[in-house]
Amino acid sequence: MYLTQGLHRSVQVNAGQTATVFGDRRQSWAALKERVARFAGALKARGLKRGERVAIIAHNSDRYIESIFGVAWAGGVIVPGNTRWAVPEHIYALQDSGAKYLLLDRSFAHMAGPLTDACGIECVIYLDDDAPPADMFPFEKLLSAAEPIPDGCGEGEELAALFYTGGTTGRSKGVMLSHRSLISNFLAAHGTAPYRADSVFLHSPPMFHAADAAAIIGITMMGGTHVIIPFFHARRRGADNRSR
C-alpha cells in the first residue's frame, strides 16, 4: 500500500476523466499525474531527501492535492498545518516535525518570515498565481522548469504524513501515519459507505484534517472527481466561495 497507488490506477482506467475542479481550473487524471511527477521533480531538485518533512499551511485547493501526492511521489512526508493556528503554534509544529520545506498560499504568506527565522526553513513555495513575496518560489514556475521523475513513493509502514492533533488539553501532538494506515482508513470507510467510480466529492472540510485526507485518498483511489472550495462559508455561494 502506498499513497500514489490510486493516482496510477485512475490514470490507467480513467485518464481523461475530470480529476479536480477548483474555480475555473479543471484537469484530468492524466494531467494531475503529470503535474504531481513534475512537482516531485522540483522538490528533489531543491534537495528534498527521502523521509524529509514538507509542511503546508494553506486553504483547500487543487494545488493542495497536487502537493500531497507530489511530496509522497518524491519520497517525502507531508505535514499539514492547521489554518486556525497562530504563528507560535505553527512554529512548535514545524520545529517538532523537523520540516525544512514549507508551502504557503496568499492567506498565510505573511507567516513566511517568522516561520523561516524560527524553524530554519530552507525552501518556501508560494501556491497562488500572483507575484510571490520575496524569497518564495512560485509553484507554477517550479513545475514548468522541472522534469517529471519516476515515482519514489514510500510504502507499507513507512511514514507518509504527520497530522497534528487539536491540542485542546495540552500541546498538539504529531500523529505519525504510515502509507498502510492511511489507505486502510479509506478501505474501512469504503466498506461501510462505498465510493463509486463516478463519485464527486466536495472538499469543504479543511484538507489539513485527516477526515478530508481520507476523501482525497478515496476519490483518487476510485477515479472520481474532486471539487474543491477553499473553505466552507454558509453565506457564500458560487464564485464568492472561491475568494479568500
Side-chain angles (χ1 to χ4, degrees):
M1 294 182 179
Y2 53 99
L3 277 189
T4 58
Q5 190 171 352
L7 186 53
H8 289 290
R9 178 188 180 276
S10 290
V11 172
Q12 287 177 337
V13 302
N14 226 0
Q17 169 70 26
T18 299
T20 63
V21 178
F22 181 67
D24 296 329
R25 293 200 298 254
R26 292 172 176 259
Q27 63 181 332
S28 68
W29 283 108
L32 176 59
K33 179 182 175 182
E34 172 74 10
R35 287 174 62 82
V36 164
R38 284 186 177 276
F39 183 53
L43 289 172
K44 297 293 282 187
R46 293 286 162 188
L48 181 73
K49 298 180 178 60
R50 191 171 189 84
E52 288 190 320
R53 280 62 162 159
V54 181
I56 177 168
I57 306 170
H59 290 305
N60 296 355
S61 72
D62 49 355
R63 289 174 185 157
Y64 205 122
I65 292 178
E66 292 168 0
S67 298
I68 289 175
F69 288 114
V71 170
W73 192 287
V77 176
I78 193 72
V79 184
N82 191 323
T83 56
R84 298 162 189 153
W85 280 351
V87 168
E89 293 167 298
H90 285 297
I91 288 175
Y92 169 76
L94 291 174
Q95 291 178 341
D96 181 66
S97 66
K100 297 301 178 186
Y101 297 79
L102 177 61
L103 312 179
L104 298 171
D105 68 10
R106 184 185 305 115
S107 297
F108 304 97
H110 64 281
M111 294 184 177
L115 297 181
T116 298
D117 293 342
C119 306
I121 300 297
E122 298 174 0
C123 177
V124 184
I125 297 172
Y126 186 63
L127 294 175
D128 277 299
D129 288 325
D130 55 331
D135 301 323
M136 295 176 67
F137 297 99
F139 187 85
E140 288 299 325
K141 187 173 181 179
L142 284 177
L143 257 67
S144 63
E147 292 293 329
I149 62 171
D151 191 356
C153 187
E155 62 180 347
E157 297 306 320
E158 286 187 70
L159 185 63
L162 279 165
F163 282 83
Y164 278 78
T165 64
T168 53
T169 59
R171 277 200 182 277
S172 179
K173 299 173 181 64
V175 180
M176 301 172 69
L177 298 175
S178 68
H179 291 265
R180 188 184 306 279
S181 66
L182 286 168
I183 295 177
S184 296
N185 182 49
F186 153 67
L187 291 174
H190 182 62
T192 55
Y195 286 107
R196 302 185 325 195
D198 60 350
S199 291
V200 178
F201 187 89
L202 177 64
H203 291 277
S204 58
M207 288 180 172
F208 68 76
H209 199 283
D212 196 78
I216 292 173
I217 294 167
I219 292 295
T220 300
M221 192 71 73
M222 298 305 296
T225 299
H226 301 281
V227 178
I228 308 145
I229 57 175
F231 49 82
F232 175 76
H233 193 295
R235 295 186 179 182
R236 289 180 179 158
R237 296 191 303 173
D240 290 341
N241 211 21
R242 297 197 295 270
S243 64
R244 296 181 184 175

